[in-house]
Amino acid sequence: MKVTIAGSLVMDITIYPSEKFRLMKDFIAFPFDYKIQVNKIFVEAGGSGFNVASALTNFKNKVSLFGKVGSDTYGKIILKEMKKRKISTKNVEVISQDMTGFSLIFLYEGEKTILTYR
């Protein structure tokens, strides 16, 4: 089946925080003006469009995605990962004056908080 998706393309940076992070009511907190060691960090291509397209290719669909990336290193990484997963890049616009988007994902006690730049 041929499937076309429109969605975001970003670099996901997932942070697994150390014990210095605290939960205060429904807020993640950490000391101000302090260097905090994290337990693990994971960087990969992501975004809603990429994630859905990637999942659909697992079911042998021919997938095309409408999205945008910057002409920077991270945009190239995302395009390379799309090609590796057999997601068509023909409808991905490369914007020379912009930086590729990022999502900074904090995983804390099984829950996520995401800071996003698009």
Side-chain angles (χ1 to χ4, degrees), residues 102-118:
F102 279 85
S103 286
L104 188 57
I105 304 163
F106 293 94
L107 281 177
Y108 187 82
E109 296 182 356
E111 300 293 329
K112 294 186 216 186
T113 296
I114 303 172
L115 307 177
T116 300
Y117 166 79
R118 293 185 190 174

Side-chain angles (χ1 to χ4, degrees), residues 4-18:
T4 302
I5 296 167
S8 63
L9 295 166
V10 300
M11 289 301 296
D12 284 344
I13 303 170
T14 304
I15 295 175
Y16 298 82
S18 67

Side-chain angles (χ1 to χ4, degrees), residues 53-114:
S54 186
L56 287 170
T57 60
N58 291 334
F59 298 103
K60 308 297 184 211
N61 293 293
K62 291 187 178 195
V63 181
S64 177
L65 182 115
F66 282 89
K68 294 180 182 180
V69 295
S71 62
D72 54 14
T73 300
Y74 301 109
K76 291 174 185 157
I77 290 170
I78 291 171
L79 292 172
K80 183 178 177 181
E81 190 63 28
M82 288 177 67
K83 289 174 185 173
K84 177 179 160 187
R85 294 174 188 237
K86 296 183 170 63
I87 301 168
S88 173
T89 61
K90 71 178 180 176
N91 295 313
V92 176
E93 186 177 358
V94 179
I95 309 295
S96 61
Q97 67 271 20
D98 278 340
M99 187 173 113
T100 299
F102 279 85
S103 286
L104 188 57
I105 304 163
F106 293 94
L107 281 177
Y108 187 82
E109 296 182 356
E111 300 293 329
K112 294 186 216 186
T113 296
I114 303 172

Side-chain angles (χ1 to χ4, degrees), residues 34-47:
Y34 194 87
K35 186 180 281 189
I36 299 172
Q37 181 69 34
V38 297
N39 292 333
K40 183 169 61 168
I41 189 166
F42 191 69
V43 180
E44 65 182 339

